[in-house]
Amino acid sequence: MSSVYSFQPGVIYDENDKFVSLFIDLVKKESTEEHLMYGDKFLTKNKFVWESQTETTIGNSKYNRLMKYEKAKIFVRKFQQEDTISLPYVYLGEGKLTDPRPSTNKKKSVLFDIILDTDLTDSLFEQFNIETNETSNTEEGQE
């Protein structure tokens, strides 16, 4: 199901095929500015919360353009780099952008729930479910 793709984080629009591609880094560098620390995370194996780029706010032209698309192709990587090597994105499949709402980000970017067409495998969910991994690591360290 998954394949790798190397690119920069962001949004790419495909006007002909009516889809948008989202390139998402889950864990940001510690040096990243606070307003760029997006709230991207998996809630379940088929539901992902994605925070738009900061220049996209409800009602502006970037938001309106994004809302024209029925489907999003989702590419995710946990980290941008490891030991100075850029990591590839993993293609997770397509999903539908739902439930747009303002984020708590000071730039008022937009949060979306993305409902994936196909559930993540157990291994991908474990790899990309950052909160679960951090909780597990903390619990393991206390034993």
Side-chain angles (χ1 to χ4, degrees), residues 3-63:
S3 59
V4 294
Y5 190 84
S6 184
F7 196 75
Q8 296 299 313
V11 178
I12 296 179
Y13 298 92
D14 186 319
E15 305 292 342
N16 297 324
D17 290 330
K18 283 296 205 185
F19 69 84
V20 60
S21 295
L22 306 177
F23 293 85
I24 303 162
D25 292 342
L26 293 174
V27 178
K28 309 298 187 255
K29 295 184 229 173
E30 289 183 22
S31 63
T32 302
E33 296 174 50
E34 183 182 343
H35 72 275
L36 298 175
M37 301 295 283
Y38 301 120
D40 305 327
K41 63 182 175 181
F42 282 94
L43 299 179
T44 66
K45 290 181 182 179
N46 76 335
K47 188 175 185 179
F48 181 74
V49 175
W50 173 66
E51 186 171 345
S52 71
Q53 295 170 317
T54 55
E55 62 272 4
T56 304
T57 59
I58 290 187
N60 76 4
S61 62
K62 290 184 182 254
Y63 171 82

Side-chain angles (χ1 to χ4, degrees), residues 123-137:
S123 63
L124 282 176
F125 184 69
E126 184 177 320
Q127 177 183 351
F128 291 135
N129 192 0
I130 306 304
E131 290 180 348
T132 298
N133 290 341
E134 289 174 354
T135 302
S136 297
N137 291 339

Side-chain angles (χ1 to χ4, degrees), residues 67-132:
M67 294 305 296
K68 290 180 184 178
Y69 292 87
E70 297 172 13
K71 290 283 187 174
K73 294 188 179 206
I74 312 301
F75 298 83
V76 174
R77 63 184 174 190
K78 190 170 184 177
F79 304 102
Q80 185 176 17
Q81 290 186 339
E82 188 170 18
D83 298 326
T84 69
I85 298 171
S86 291
L87 298 178
Y89 285 95
V90 176
Y91 176 64
L92 300 182
E94 293 184 6
K96 183 175 179 161
L97 296 170
T98 65
D99 193 22
R101 60 206 179 271
S103 73
T104 58
N105 187 312
K106 69 180 181 179
K107 299 278 187 169
K108 299 298 178 203
S109 51
V110 183
L111 288 175
F112 290 90
D113 292 338
I114 300 176
I115 308 302
L116 298 173
D117 292 349
T118 305
D119 289 1
L120 294 183
T121 63
D122 290 341
S123 63
L124 282 176
F125 184 69
E126 184 177 320
Q127 177 183 351
F128 291 135
N129 192 0
I130 306 304
E131 290 180 348
T132 298

